[in-house]
Amino acid sequence: MTTEQQPRAQWLGRWGFVLAATGSAVGLGNIWKFPYMTGEHGGGAFVLVYLVCILAVGVPVMMTEIAFGRRGRGSPIDAVRRVVSESGRSSAWSLLGWVAMLCGFMILSFYVVVAGWSFSYLWKMLSGGLNGSGVDDMVAIFVANNENPFNLGFWSTLVTLATMLIVGKGVQAGIEKSVSWMMPGMVIMLMILIGYGMFSGGFAEAWRFLFSFNTGSLSSEGMLAALGHAFFTLSLASGAILTYGSYLPAGASIARTTFSVAVADTLVALMAGLAIFPVIFANGMSPEGGPGLLFMSLPLAFQAMPLGTLFGVLFFIMLSMAALTSSISMVEATVSWLVDNKGITRRTAAWGTGIVLWLVSTLAMLSFNIGADWTLAGRHFFDWLDYLTSRWMMPLGGLGMVLLAGFVLKSETFREELGLAPYWHALWLFMVRYVSPLGILLIFVDALGIARLQFGIHWPWLLAVLVLVTLIGEMASPRLRRTLAG
Ligand code: PHE
């Protein structure tokens, strides 16, 4: 079945995996999506739930995924199949791998459109196409940029080409090399923008907006959005992290790398918020600007800044690169599956995937111009891709992974892969068995309208449910006790 003549590639440097995984995690999700979602869902409450989701769900899921990848040494489908067969379980579980791979592909189909915005804004910065005097001009520029399908299609095609070029080159020469200088550069740019934001007059308000955790104001829709975004921003349940994990050398600590990636990713998102919202407030714009928020706000900041064009150019270069280091991770699962199972070269696999991707992403791109009316239940194709992946496929795929790891597979598998001290292992097990699944389920129960959650009022009840479920679960299975005993 598999035609792996050569040993599987591995990251070159000690930092290879951390850099690549951080490159995957940090992207448009942090700089484009997080600020506008925070704006749409009312600020601090959304941020708080998002942070809780990262810690309680994101980190355990990421550790589990990397462990699957390294243990199974393959694409999500192959890796999951191998790991479950090691425990003598049904290969039907590899369906999880299929969903993940499809999910990564679907995300990329709309992601290249947004990355295309970034590329086109870089061009506008260079060519002086972003000169306008205020908010209305910026909105008009954004709208005009979307109106012409050939213009928009040109940029998303460019992103698709760049992605496939890097992936076609391979793990070390393509992926690892490009991320090692793009990531630090982006952080420096964000710091400069925050520095600007501090003096723009909107900083205090932006700070309050992001960090006044008034949980009463968050809707169920907002909670599901926060959960979905935690998955999206950490590149979980979409094949990316699992596949990168399959190149991880045997000795590396999964817990430590996961932690570094999660912290870096969270910091970049919060920094992006602190760079963007001051500009929004200082210019009297509304934080609910939607997907165009970043593109309508930051150019205003650049204009008012000394050397603004230079900074603007640098920023959009970095944003485009952050997008690329993420987009390559989304196809890596598909490409590595094709290479391992279909006996074709990496290059052929990359270009083949690229063609299909181009077709689907073109449909997504048309949502902003001629296809604006092609909607189903109020969403156009671009929105559907985002909605289905973030709100459904990723949380449910992640749920499947943690339940599989927590209850179905042999505990030795994960004890060996994670290599944690007994009490840390017990904590991980507690998280994947109870905290993460319960968190995901509760948010779904709430979002589907089966029952309403209200953090302020119900949290003691939530805690009680957690304790109860844990007790029942542990009585049914004595494994955690053994773990605790070492
Ligand atoms: N984490 C990336 C971002 O925040 C997006 C992504 C999702 C990448 C899924 C890979 C897989 O931009």
Side-chain angles (χ1 to χ4, degrees), residues 8 67-75 78-80 82-83 246 417:
R8 196 168 179 76
F68 265 105
R70 185 165 72 181
R71 188 76 170 188
R73 292 276 183 221
S75 69
D78 297 325
V80 173
R82 285 186 199 130
V83 176
S246 75
E417 279 312 314

Side-chain angles (χ1 to χ4, degrees), residues 127-396:
S127 62
L130 278 181
N131 292 328
S133 49
V135 179
D136 294 343
D137 289 338
M138 290 304 143
V139 175
I141 290 174
F142 185 71
V143 171
N145 194 39
N146 284 338
E147 257 169 4
N148 180 346
F150 292 101
N151 171 57
L152 203 56
F154 169 79
W155 295 108
S156 52
T157 305
L158 202 67
V159 177
T160 308
L161 284 173
T163 303
M164 296 309 159
L165 206 71
I166 301 177
V167 174
K169 276 189 155 176
V171 176
Q172 292 173 358
I175 302 174
E176 188 167 351
K177 210 172 193 177
S178 50
V179 293
S180 57
W181 57 275
M182 291 194 235
M183 300 315 301
M186 207 185 64
V187 170
I188 295 173
M189 285 309 306
L190 274 180
M191 285 178 25
I192 294 173
L193 278 171
I194 295 176
Y196 169 80
M198 285 181 157
F199 298 103
S200 69
F203 196 76
E205 199 177 341
W207 185 274
R208 237 177 294 124
F209 183 70
L210 282 169
F211 299 119
S212 56
F213 298 139
N214 173 12
T215 47
S217 62
L218 191 65
S219 64
S220 331
E221 166 63 15
M223 282 202 286
L224 189 58
L227 175 72
H229 189 62
F231 275 92
F232 184 88
T233 193
L234 293 178
S235 310
L236 300 176
S238 52
I241 289 296
L242 195 154
T243 312
Y244 276 10
S246 75
Y247 308 126
L248 186 65
S253 156
I254 290 179
R256 232 173 279 147
T257 45
T258 297
F259 204 67
S260 326
V261 175
V263 168
D265 186 79
T266 306
L267 286 180
V268 173
L270 296 177
M271 281 166 74
L274 284 178
I276 289 169
F277 284 114
V279 183
I280 304 273
F281 291 126
N283 288 286
M285 298 167 80
S286 156
E288 289 133 49
L293 193 68
L294 165 76
F295 298 95
M296 297 182 220
S297 62
L298 284 192
L300 281 178
F302 292 125
Q303 254 174 35
M305 245 185 243
L307 295 179
T309 307
L310 176 69
F311 287 138
V313 167
L314 284 176
F315 176 79
F316 283 110
I317 291 180
M318 291 302 165
L319 184 66
S320 305
M321 301 198 155
L324 276 178
T325 55
S326 299
S327 64
I328 54 183
S329 73
M330 291 176 220
V331 272
E332 184 55 26
T334 308
V335 169
S336 92
W337 181 76
L338 286 171
V339 171
D340 289 348
N341 292 281
K342 300 291 167 203
I344 54 177
T345 65
R346 194 175 176 84
R347 211 160 288 245
T348 316
W351 291 115
T353 312
I355 291 170
V356 184
L357 177 73
W358 184 82
L359 292 171
V360 184
S361 68
T362 299
L363 268 182
M365 178 275 289
L366 293 178
S367 298
F368 290 96
N369 33 70
I370 58 176
D373 302 331
W374 306 342
T375 56
L376 189 69
R379 289 193 173 88
H380 49 49
F381 189 59
F382 178 98
D383 286 342
W384 271 110
L385 289 171
D386 182 14
Y387 174 77
L388 282 178
T389 49
S390 285
R391 307 289 164 92
W392 298 94
M393 294 169 78
M394 288 196 272
L396 293 178

Side-chain angles (χ1 to χ4, degrees), residues 2-17:
T2 54
T3 52
E4 286 163 296
Q5 296 92 355
Q6 309 150 330
R8 196 168 179 76
Q10 288 202 350
W11 303 111
L12 195 60
R14 180 170 131 59
W15 293 99
F17 175 79

